[in-house]
Amino acid sequence: VYVLQPVWKNFLENPPAAQLLHRVMAGSTTATIVLLNGAAYVFKGSLPASVKSALRAVNGMLLVQVSLGFATLLSFVSIPVAAAHQAGSLILLTKLIRLCAVIGSKGMVL
């Protein structure tokens, strides 16, 4: 493991630290979406169809994104697969923002 000085450079320029931070963010994102699904299950009877639909889109994209992450590692970071993983992160973020917007609009389709 490389230790860079000043210490803050380790978060940006140290490859092992960058991998660790990437996996921590991936895990916390996945856990948060799983918890969101648990909350949706509790309130499933009172959720508007647009919220359920947006949540299904998030779940589907999360599955694709996690699969692309594994594929990226298994392909030894093949550029096309890694680029698809990068693009997938933007799509997942977009679907999460839309879910938040639909929830914030009390289920009205935007």
Side-chain angles (χ1 to χ4, degrees):
V1 175
Y2 309 114
V3 178
L4 303 176
Q5 295 297 331
V7 174
W8 64 266
K9 281 190 171 187
N10 285 292
F11 295 102
L12 302 172
E13 298 176 14
N14 184 339
Q19 284 295 316
L20 175 66
L21 290 172
H22 182 88
R23 290 192 175 112
V24 167
M25 287 188 294
S28 61
T29 299
T30 301
T32 301
I33 293 172
V34 168
L35 289 173
L36 183 61
N37 279 288
Y41 180 78
V42 170
F43 297 106
K44 68 181 174 183
S46 60
L47 287 178
S50 58
V51 173
K52 291 178 186 176
S53 175
L55 185 57
R56 277 193 301 273
V58 167
N59 290 335
M61 193 58 218
L62 176 66
L63 181 62
V64 169
Q65 183 64 0
V66 169
S67 299
L68 283 170
F70 284 129
T72 300
L73 290 174
L74 293 175
S75 71
F76 298 101
V77 194
S78 165
I79 297 301
V81 181
H85 183 57
Q86 290 283 318
S89 69
L90 295 175
I91 296 169
L92 178 59
L93 177 63
T94 302
K95 292 196 178 295
L96 283 165
I97 290 169
R98 183 166 192 308
L99 174 62
C100 291
V102 171
I103 291 171
S105 68
K106 296 183 178 39
M108 294 177 56
V109 177
L110 301 175

